[in-house]
Amino acid sequence: MSDSSKHARASMANLYRIFTIPEAPDSVLRKIDEGISENMIGFLQKHIVAEETDLVKIEKDFSSTLIPEEPKFVSEQTEFLMEKVVAQSVHTSSPSFIGHMTSALPYFMIPLSKIMIALNQNLVKTETSKVFTPLERQVLGMLHRLIYDQNEGFYERWLHDSHQHLGAFCSGGTVANITALWAARNKAFGPEGEFGGIAKEGVFSAYRHYGCEGAAILVSQRGHYSLSKSADLLGIGREQVIAIDTDQNNKIKLDSLRNKLVELKTRNIRPFALIGIAGTTETGNIDPLDALADIAESEGIHFHVDGAWGGPAVFSNTHRHMLKGIERADSVTIDAHKQLYVPMGVGLVLFRDPDTLTSIEHHAQYIIRRDSKDLGSNTLEGSRPGMAMLVHSALNIIGRGGYELLINQGIEKAQRFAEMICESEDFELVTEPELNILTYRWVPASVQKLFKNGTFQDQVNANEVLNKITRFIQKTQREHGLAFVSRTQLNPPLHNHQSITVFRVVLANPLTTVEVLRSVLDEQRQISNDSLLEKRIGELDDLVAHSYV
Ligand SMILES: *Cc1c(COP(=O)(O)O)cnc(C)c1O
């Protein structure tokens, strides 16, 4: 090996080289770099192996716990990466991998990410971020304006204010939700008279001071699990995330919510946050946000919208109306690494009132000093990367109009796919798409008839068998490696609230075509003929035959 990727041997000179000398043109790393830069999709297509994901087998390549004593050549390590890591990773940007929320990336994210990593800024304080601080705040302002549409003067006043914040960047939707609920909790149990506030004195003193037995967060049954993590962390308790019933469209039932509010009052539990979901993770439905805003307002509780998935629908002039009421939310979560098409690791939360985040403010002497513009004083995380640069670039390059197209085509494609499913006599659409997510399953025509005419017990039995078949088809398709849909469990009214296993499809990749969707169904149909399913199909046939007797 003659290239400069040779840095093996632990010497000071070699250490110096790995911090300074770029790779020689013939190095493995350079070739990979060029391959990704020239044709990212082609590169991934070529090097990610589409075959069975046997994690137990893969674990064998990652079983040593010894840190090598002697250094390796960079090229040696790179070869290992290509063979064992790249090859055995998941092709998240494949147009036929339509079961996850991890988005495909526009090509420019690759070189821009390199710039971001080369700069290695730290947003915790301005001393290590300089321009990145106003840049991040501008992005927060842009998205704040998209949602809340305040006047020019408002943004002139608050965008770069050192005490107030239009929102916060973080690593994803989970931390965004935690941040929103943290602020809501501190606001609801804030300082009052002698009482120093929940942030200072803790949950027990807060409940005592406010004369309540507990606190609660209200959200529909479809709430994301990050909310119960938040309740756990905030000392509220997971069971105090109150799951409200949903209607046949997976939207929160307002009368159940009102009843629950009354019940909480009689139990002396204080609800401090009401959450509306804009795009449920499993089915992509949107709660009636405007009505929730009314209820939150009349009850005087913080109204948070979890728009981690569906928030970006506000980009679309065609579909924005579905999120009506979002502009009344006290806070809104958006995951940039989902429908803003930015690499993994960035989410954000926006606050309508720029004063809300001051309720979580923390200061230290050597860092994030009072009166500084250090963002670390108002974020859960400390050191943070300059991901805002990528969001900033995406917003500028793709533009409002570009995002509108992305949102619209996803929704249209989901509707088209739903039609395809309804037109096929051996598939059943379980939840219709409102945004770009839908669920369905394979159900032979004869069994569909049984669901219409059979007894309740017939249906229960059929669903039990179908659940196993659905799991088998989903797993087998994933193992074949050509396409991927995810699966989840729902209790739809369509099936008398029985628990059924369904395929879940998320259509956010603009490269996914109708042909791809057709081939996903074709493959699933083919798998249903697998000899390993013979026994199950026999059970279904028996049920059908029996029900006609
Ligand atoms: C994805 C998602 C989250 C969590 O976001 P992460 O980025 O995975 O932490 C929260 N809420 C909803 C509705 C989501 O879809």
Side-chain angles (χ1 to χ4, degrees):
M1 249 169 277
S2 62
D3 63 65
S4 69
S5 55
K6 290 203 305 192
H7 293 301
R9 219 155 37 84
S11 71
M12 229 22 240
N14 277 338
L15 281 181
Y16 179 78
R17 288 192 347 149
I18 55 176
F19 280 91
T20 53
I21 312 262
E23 294 293 306
D26 62 341
S27 80
V28 182
L29 193 57
R30 268 285 271 276
K31 286 199 189 107
I32 294 169
D33 200 7
E34 278 163 20
I36 294 176
S37 306
E38 271 162 30
N39 180 359
M40 175 180 67
I41 296 194
F43 179 88
L44 297 174
Q45 201 77 49
K46 181 168 165 211
H47 293 281
I48 297 179
V49 175
E51 65 169 35
E52 210 170 309
T53 2
D54 182 354
L55 272 187
V56 177
K57 203 178 111 216
I58 292 175
E59 281 162 4
K60 297 212 169 76
D61 293 325
F62 297 87
S63 52
S64 167
T65 49
L66 213 63
I67 298 171
E69 179 58 29
E70 286 304 315
K72 251 192 202 146
F73 292 116
V74 174
S75 49
E76 250 181 279
Q77 177 63 9
T78 318
E79 275 161 23
F80 170 83
L81 282 178
M82 285 306 293
E83 207 178 304
K84 298 297 184 189
V85 179
V86 175
Q88 308 193 92
S89 58
V90 174
H91 194 353
T92 54
S93 60
S94 162
S96 54
F97 280 35
I98 50 173
H100 55 70
M101 291 183 152
T102 304
S103 52
L105 296 177
Y107 85 93
F108 59 79
M109 281 299 165
I110 307 298
L112 295 187
S113 301
K114 273 167 81 171
I115 298 176
M116 182 200 91
I117 288 180
L119 291 171
N120 200 29
Q121 305 291 291
N122 182 352
L123 271 290
V124 71
K125 55 184 171 139
T126 57
E127 286 165 19
T128 51
S129 64
K130 204 170 167 178
V131 64
F132 273 67
T133 294
L135 176 148
E136 183 168 291
R137 300 185 72 138
Q138 184 192 13
V139 174
L140 289 167
M142 288 162 123
L143 292 167
H144 190 284
R145 187 167 183 168
L146 181 73
I147 286 172
Y148 295 112
D149 196 24
Q150 304 287 320
N151 55 43
E152 286 280 350
F154 175 91
Y155 293 105
E156 240 167 68
R157 173 69 189 85
W158 301 117
L159 190 61
H160 297 294
D161 188 89
S162 46
H163 295 286
Q164 315 266 298
H165 300 264
L166 299 179
F169 260 79
C170 51
S171 64
T174 299
V175 178
N177 282 340
I178 292 172
T179 305
L181 292 170
W182 184 16
R185 185 200 71 164
N186 288 5
K187 207 174 60 175
F189 294 94
E192 192 181 70
E194 295 281 283
F195 178 62
I198 194 168
K200 206 166 157 189
E201 299 195 20
V203 172
F204 182 72
S205 304
Y207 291 173
R208 198 170 45 191
H209 175 81
Y210 281 92
C212 63
E213 306 283 322
I217 297 165
L218 296 146
V219 67
S220 92
Q221 283 169 334
R222 297 267 158 264
H224 190 265
Y225 60 83
S226 56
L227 303 172
S228 56
K229 284 185 184 172
S230 311
D232 176 355
L233 276 171
L234 294 171
I236 306 302
R238 285 184 192 190
E239 287 196 352
Q240 303 293 34
V241 177
I242 313 282
I244 310 293
D245 292 340
T246 47
D247 64 16
Q248 70 278 12
N249 295 316
N250 297 292
K251 294 167 187 277
I252 192 167
K253 273 187 175 163
L254 296 172
D255 49 347
S256 304
L257 171 64
R258 289 194 192 96
N259 292 342
K260 190 51 90 171
L261 282 163
V262 171
E263 185 204 313
L264 289 172
K265 262 178 214 147
T266 63
R267 286 169 48 208
N268 198 20
I269 305 278
R270 193 160 167 222
F272 69 95
L274 171 61
I275 300 173
I277 312 169
T280 60
T281 312
E282 287 160 294
T283 57
N285 293 106
I286 303 161
D287 281 330
L289 302 179
D290 220 16
L292 291 179
D294 288 339
I295 294 173
E297 197 176 282
S298 72
E299 297 285 324
I301 55 186
H302 184 103
F303 178 39
H304 175 65
V305 170
D306 184 355
W309 179 255
V314 292
F315 279 111
S316 166
N317 291 335
T318 317
H319 298 293
R320 185 183 171 120
H321 66 92
M322 292 196 281
L323 275 64
K324 190 172 172 343
I326 195 173
E327 71 287 351
R328 296 172 64 196
D330 294 296
S331 52
V332 175
T333 285
I334 292 182
D335 240 341
H337 59 214
K338 288 180 178 167
Q339 296 210 79
L340 295 185
Y341 298 87
V342 173
M344 229 356 94
V346 57
L348 50 95
V349 54
L350 302 160
F351 292 91
R352 192 184 46 193
D353 178 351
D355 192 43
T356 310
L357 257 188
T358 55
S359 71
I360 64 163
E361 201 165 288
H362 274 69
H363 293 284
Q365 274 311 313
Y366 72 104
I367 203 177
I368 56 176
R369 293 178 199 95
R370 226 169 278 278
D371 294 325
S372 74
K373 292 200 170 181
D374 297 341
L375 294 173
S377 56
N378 293 73
T379 53
L380 174 58
E381 285 148 304
S383 295
R384 251 179 341 99
M387 294 296 281
M389 186 193 110
L390 302 181
V391 187
H392 185 261
S393 303
L395 291 175
N396 280 290
I397 294 170
I398 298 172
R400 210 262 331 143
Y403 280 112
E404 167 160 43
L405 279 176
L406 284 166
I407 292 290
N408 290 357
Q409 62 88 32
I411 293 176
E412 283 156 25
K413 213 180 301 172
Q415 286 163 353
R416 183 72 199 89
F417 193 37
E419 283 164 19
M420 279 164 63
I421 291 164
C422 293
E423 284 160 11
S424 331
E425 53 175 32
D426 51 354
F427 283 98
E428 176 191 70
L429 184 67
V430 178
T431 56
E432 267 176 53
E434 188 172 7
L435 290 172
N436 48 6
I437 299 178
L438 60 84
T439 65
Y440 69 103
R441 60 182 183 164
W442 178 80
V443 183
S446 58
V447 182
Q448 292 194 30
K449 249 190 231 149
L450 181 142
F451 281 127
K452 279 207 193 86
N453 309 320
T455 64
F456 180 72
Q457 194 53 47
D458 283 342
Q459 300 180 11
V460 171
N461 296 344
N463 275 327
E464 259 172 39
V465 183
L466 283 170
N467 287 351
K468 290 177 190 148
I469 294 177
T470 308
R471 279 197 290 274
F472 178 86
I473 295 177
Q474 191 268 347
K475 216 171 135 252
T476 309
Q477 188 166 40
R478 195 187 73 189
E479 285 169 2
H480 288 176
L482 297 174
F484 169 75
V485 304
S486 51
R487 64 164 200 259
T488 188
Q489 213 133 313
L490 296 173
N491 304 281
L494 173 73
H495 286 285
N496 293 310
H497 303 282
Q498 289 162 48
S499 176
I500 64 167
T501 304
V502 294
F503 304 131
R504 165 177 168 271
V505 159
V506 182
L507 293 166
N509 186 337
L511 302 182
T512 304
T513 57
V514 171
E515 287 68 46
V516 167
L517 297 175
R518 194 164 288 124
S519 67
V520 167
L521 290 184
D522 285 344
E523 191 187 13
Q524 293 178 332
R525 192 177 281 126
Q526 221 166 1
I527 297 171
S528 75
N529 289 320
D530 193 300
S531 58
L532 287 171
L533 275 182
E534 250 167 42
K535 189 165 154 264
R536 303 276 171 233
I537 305 291
E539 287 168 16
L540 284 182
D541 288 345
D542 285 350
L543 278 169
V544 170
H546 176 80
S547 77
Y548 287 161
V549 169

